[in-house]
Amino acid sequence: DTGVSQNPRHKITKRGQNVTFRCDPISEHNRLYWYRQTLGQGPEFLTYFQNEAQLEKSRLLSDRFSAERPKGSFSTLEIQRTEQGDSAMYLCASSLTGTTEGGYTFGSGTRLTVV
Amino acid sequence: AQRVTQPEKLLSVFKGAPVELKCNYSYSGSPELFWYVQYSRQRLQLLLRHISRESIKGFTADLNKGETSFHLKKPFAQEEDSAMYYCALGAGGTSYGKLTFGQGTILTVHP
């Protein structure tokens, strides 16, 4: 297990297209988080899962965004009808349930550019 | 609502000088606070957490509930400390585990 893995590392898409990102968490971590980071800002919370259940979604997550975590393992984040404002780094992180003491383990992120 | 403020976007010091990165938070519950660091071309990683009261790479941070602060300090900065630093606040209740990040401070340590 080499940590949290995110694919692809970079994605360039035309406005209006759909994109999907994948995150593979640390295998024993049952919580998985998605964050978005734009230039000059800290990571902003999007949504998180405990096992396969999506427990919370941010208001930032419009109806064009959908996230899944089938079988409580990897997760996908899909953005439909992309807009230029969706250009950002999308970060995935994982942790163990019931504590924030261990903190998160982050992936390297997927950088999305919408042209 | 939770909020984290890091008032300095940029901080420059010389090697061997003390450094303090400021972090203030707003939260009505019992806070859990963290410092994360991102070195050049590396992923975001946990530096330290208030609950552990530990020193990592010479850095310490004390939670001051009266001032709602969690400043990061190091008595003698090193060039390898140059990085982006984020303060983060952990929520409780149903959002347990969710972190709210500050905007970050870029620390540059000059030789």
Side-chain angles (χ1 to χ4, degrees):
Chain A
D1 193 336
T2 56
V4 178
S5 175
Q6 290 189 248
N7 288 288
R9 292 293 301 273
H10 304 275
K11 179 71 177 178
I12 300 174
T13 191
K14 291 184 178 180
R15 190 174 53 185
Q17 297 294 305
N18 299 344
V19 294
T20 301
F21 311 139
R22 177 178 170 127
C23 172
D24 288 88
I26 291 174
S27 56
E28 60 265 30
H29 285 182
N30 52 4
R31 285 206 169 187
L32 185 149
Y33 307 83
W34 285 100
Y35 280 76
R36 180 172 69 186
Q37 186 173 24
T38 53
L39 198 62
Q41 302 295 318
E44 296 175 295
F45 172 78
L46 293 179
T47 187
Y48 86 95
F49 294 83
Q50 180 168 309
N51 301 313
E52 66 276 9
Q54 189 173 19
L55 296 188
E56 187 173 341
K57 295 194 318 184
S58 165
R59 291 172 298 171
L60 294 174
L61 215 63
S62 76
D63 56 6
R64 296 184 297 105
F65 287 71
S66 63
E68 294 183 340
R69 193 184 181 197
K71 302 178 183 178
S73 55
F74 71 92
S75 176
T76 57
L77 177 67
E78 181 184 16
I79 308 174
Q80 295 182 326
R81 306 180 303 280
T82 51
E83 302 172 356
Q84 286 189 322
D86 297 331
S87 295
M89 176 74 85
Y90 289 83
L91 296 170
C92 177
S94 67
S95 71
L96 288 169
T97 300
T99 180
T100 54
E101 290 185 16
Y104 289 175
T105 301
F106 278 91
S108 296
T110 294
R111 182 170 295 284
L112 173 66
T113 302
V114 181
V115 298
Chain B
Q2 303 97 38
R3 187 179 181 89
V4 176
T5 303
Q6 293 179 250
E8 304 138 329
K9 289 195 76 74
L10 301 170
L11 185 61
S12 290
V13 300
F14 285 99
K15 177 182 174 181
V19 63
E20 180 178 71
L21 290 85
K22 291 183 167 50
C23 171
N24 289 90
Y25 67 90
S26 174
Y27 181 53
S28 57
S30 183
E32 295 188 16
L33 285 147
F34 304 83
W35 278 98
Y36 281 80
V37 61
Q38 189 166 28
Y39 300 103
S40 179
R41 297 188 186 87
Q42 294 187 26
R43 62 185 66 187
L44 199 57
Q45 58 187 284
L46 176 67
L47 179 62
L48 57 77
R49 51 209 179 217
H50 92 270
I51 199 166
S52 300
R53 302 185 65 80
E54 57 200 346
S55 174
I56 302 292
K57 299 183 179 182
F59 284 98
T60 58
D62 291 319
L63 176 60
N64 186 324
K65 291 186 178 181
E67 296 183 356
T68 60
S69 69
F70 187 58
H71 303 326
L72 183 68
K73 301 177 184 179
K74 185 169 184 177
F76 306 105
Q78 302 299 314
E79 290 179 66
E80 55 265 31
D81 296 329
S82 296
M84 172 72 94
Y85 291 81
Y86 293 98
C87 182
L89 169 66
T94 56
S95 293
Y96 199 75
K98 169 187 166 185
L99 293 180
T100 300
F101 286 83
Q103 290 188 315
T105 298
I106 299 173
L107 173 65
T108 303
V109 181
H110 300 283

